[in-house]
Amino acid sequence: MRIDKFLKVSRIIKRRSVAKEIADKGRISINGRVAKSSSDVSTNDQVVIKFGNKTLTILVKALLDTTKKDDAQKMYEIISEDYEHDYRNE
């Protein structure tokens, strides 16, 4: 499954076009390699997504073509969620 579709179906990113844009800027890596929006992702892959201030690392658990909201979180497991600066505690 393409990484942009996985991020949309798993509801990590709401729109596939946004996932494509983030990937094409080099802010997503799969197993340590920078990914394009067309890069394939499979189960047990480690995906690192760099948002503005946040870096999210996930492990792909399942690949589903469509999901309901409750099933979306079963597609991945969060390994870490790091912030360059944690504004939540200010």
Side-chain angles (χ1 to χ4, degrees), residues 7-53:
L7 293 171
K8 186 230 180 256
V9 172
S10 65
R11 297 172 189 236
I12 294 172
I13 297 177
K14 291 194 185 270
R15 292 190 187 94
R16 191 169 177 177
S17 60
V18 174
K20 179 183 183 324
E21 184 180 326
I22 290 172
D24 290 342
K25 288 183 178 180
R27 294 167 45 192
I28 297 176
S29 62
I30 302 171
N31 296 328
R33 292 185 166 183
V34 176
K36 295 181 183 176
S37 59
S38 61
S39 298
D40 285 329
V41 66
S42 46
T43 54
N44 296 320
D45 280 351
Q46 183 173 328
V47 179
V48 178
I49 308 157
K50 294 178 184 167
F51 298 100
N53 186 42

